[in-house]
Amino acid sequence: MKLLRLLLFPFALIYGFITSCRNWCYKIGIYQRTSFTTPTIVVGNLSVGGTGKTPMVEYLIRLLQYQYQLTTLSRGYKRKSKGFFLANSTTTMEEIGDEPFQYHSKFPNINVAVDAKRVEGIKNILNKRPNTEVILLDDAFQHLALQAGFYILLTTYNEPYFNDFILPTGNLREVRKGAERANIIVITKCPKNLSKEERQLIRNKLNLKVGQLSFFTYIEFSKIAYSNTDSVEVDQLLQKEFILLAGIAKPQSFFDHLRKKETVCLTYPDHHNFSLTDIESILKTANGNIIITTEKDYVRLNGLIPESQLFYLPIQTSFIEQQEEFDSKILNYVGKSTRNR
């Protein structure tokens, strides 16, 4: 695989040149960018998947939902609906996609919308929900037709963008210079005990521009696993026979957190739509034992596997340090932008 990626290096140069030209055209005004007076916060990355966007969006929802009328806007990857769709009480996962449905299920007091065209999506949100005070955009860092008010760029501790290369040789969607658009850069999935010295070394490699801030987070796993009808302490669940299942971009931390030496781990592609054949294979492998999965996978598996057998483990973004500074930066932007409206 690594050899193939090296052989594709000329295509990476071409792709990098094309994306850089596109970005430059937006920067100098050849391509139009649209901004809005309503505060808009983008959570995204330079690389392909697995940086922790969903828990970061959920962190922001928890931070803002009780102070502001909040709407999330996502692409709605692999959904069956087309164009703009605003979730309601009868909305299904198939209509809006797994991640938006997760937001919709967990946070009933916010609005959840999907639209691949983010500018059109925001226009529709403001038309249908004119009281909206903040819009969170999931995975929209490369949508330069939108001039958002605030950008949060995520990059993982193990695979930071400054050590990566453009597709298809590496995993970057655009050249590293794109990080300059970010107001905040968050290094995600860090070891909880990451030293102050190593944090500083990483900050040096980020080469932050004036005004940019950086933060370090880790994934905090819940101590309680949930089913559709029950909740069980993880320590108690791990005393039983179980298998692990994940269909997310980078499931290693999930597996490492739960598995014992003999644990079977089933891996599927990110956003995988489970077929009847998949379900039969999963149930055969589980052999009547408990199946523990991620929260995003649970959204797609719920109803396909017996309730008593399927559990999911929630995760949250937690800060190693400076959480108050991060919160203050977000709240100051939203508060100032809302007042200026």
Side-chain angles (χ1 to χ4, degrees):
M1 187 63 177
K2 290 183 178 180
L3 177 60
L4 177 60
R5 286 199 159 198
L6 288 174
L7 293 174
L8 292 173
F9 180 73
F11 296 97
L13 294 178
I14 295 171
Y15 177 71
F17 175 75
I18 293 172
T19 56
S20 296
C21 288
R22 170 184 173 271
N23 292 0
W24 180 76
C25 287
Y26 275 112
K27 184 175 182 179
I28 68 172
I30 294 177
Y31 295 158
Q32 182 181 355
R33 304 190 74 185
T34 301
S35 59
F36 297 87
T37 56
T38 300
T40 49
I41 302 175
V42 164
V43 177
N45 51 25
L46 294 185
S47 62
V48 180
T51 56
K53 292 187 298 296
T54 301
M56 176 54 72
V57 170
E58 290 190 355
Y59 181 91
L60 294 171
I61 292 172
R62 293 186 181 96
L63 178 66
L64 298 168
Q65 65 176 334
Y66 297 117
Q67 298 183 55
Y68 300 97
Q69 293 292 321
L70 180 63
T71 300
T72 64
L73 177 61
S74 309
R75 174 186 174 187
Y77 186 62
K78 286 193 175 182
R79 63 187 170 111
K80 294 183 179 179
S81 62
K82 301 293 183 182
F84 178 79
F85 193 101
L86 184 64
N88 56 57
S89 59
T90 63
T91 295
T92 64
M93 187 273 293
E94 288 78 13
E95 290 176 308
I96 59 175
D98 52 9
E99 289 167 352
F101 190 76
Q102 183 172 316
Y103 306 148
H104 181 56
S105 302
K106 292 180 69 172
F107 306 102
N109 59 321
I110 72 167
N111 294 307
V112 175
V114 293
D115 197 332
K117 298 179 179 179
R118 303 308 202 274
V119 172
E120 294 303 312
I122 293 175
K123 289 178 180 178
N124 276 298
I125 288 169
L126 297 178
N127 179 48
K128 296 179 183 297
R129 294 290 186 271
N131 292 330
T132 295
E133 295 176 296
V134 187
I135 299 174
L136 295 180
L137 294 109
D138 183 4
D139 199 14
F141 199 79
Q142 282 74 39
H143 287 262
L144 299 186
L146 168 67
Q147 176 65 66
F150 201 94
Y151 289 89
I152 300 173
L153 177 66
L154 309 182
T155 188
T156 63
Y157 168 80
N158 286 326
E159 297 178 299
Y161 71 81
F162 53 74
N163 286 341
D164 208 342
F165 198 74
I166 200 80
L167 287 165
T169 298
N171 293 312
L172 299 185
R173 298 171 173 178
E174 59 175 305
V175 296
R176 301 169 192 170
K177 188 177 177 65
E180 294 179 359
R181 297 196 301 275
N183 299 88
I184 284 175
I185 298 176
V186 181
I187 298 85
T188 64
K189 302 185 179 181
C190 297
K192 187 176 180 179
N193 60 349
L194 186 66
S195 70
K196 184 176 181 180
E197 291 73 20
E198 188 170 359
R199 294 198 297 269
Q200 187 56 51
L201 287 174
I202 293 172
R203 284 194 175 100
N204 293 341
K205 293 179 180 179
L206 290 174
N207 194 25
L208 299 171
K209 67 178 186 179
V210 176
Q212 274 187 324
L213 298 176
S214 62
F215 297 89
F216 295 82
T217 66
Y218 61 94
I219 293 297
E220 185 171 3
F221 292 91
S222 172
K223 295 181 180 180
I224 299 176
Y226 298 86
S227 71
N228 200 30
T229 57
D230 197 8
S231 60
V232 181
E233 290 188 6
V234 172
D235 289 344
Q236 181 181 344
L237 203 60
L238 296 185
Q239 294 175 13
K240 303 178 181 181
E241 293 296 322
F242 64 91
I243 69 168
L244 299 176
L245 186 157
I248 58 176
K250 296 174 182 177
Q252 198 59 45
S253 59
F254 169 73
F255 289 149
D256 290 345
H257 181 70
L258 292 174
R259 69 177 164 191
K260 297 181 285 189
K261 185 176 181 180
E262 68 280 5
T263 303
V264 174
C265 299
L266 301 181
T267 305
Y268 292 86
D270 195 17
H271 301 281
H272 181 67
N273 287 324
F274 293 93
S275 66
L276 290 177
T277 302
D278 292 330
I279 299 302
E280 290 175 1
S281 176
I282 292 167
L283 291 174
K284 183 178 179 180
T285 303
N287 193 29
N289 294 319
I290 290 170
I291 301 166
I292 308 176
T293 189
T294 70
E295 191 168 7
K296 188 163 73 171
D297 289 304
Y298 181 81
V299 168
R300 285 175 273 123
L301 288 167
N302 188 24
L304 300 176
I305 290 175
E307 292 181 353
S308 60
Q309 197 172 356
L310 183 65
F311 285 80
Y312 69 89
L313 186 67
I315 61 172
Q316 288 189 18
T317 287
S318 292
F319 286 76
I320 292 177
E321 61 173 357
Q322 298 175 295
Q323 178 181 348
E324 295 82 4
E325 184 179 356
F326 178 90
D327 292 355
S328 178
K329 190 73 173 176
I330 301 300
L331 292 170
N332 286 342
Y333 160 69
V334 173
K336 182 178 179 181
S337 300
T338 305
R339 290 193 298 271
N340 287 343
R341 291 179 66 197

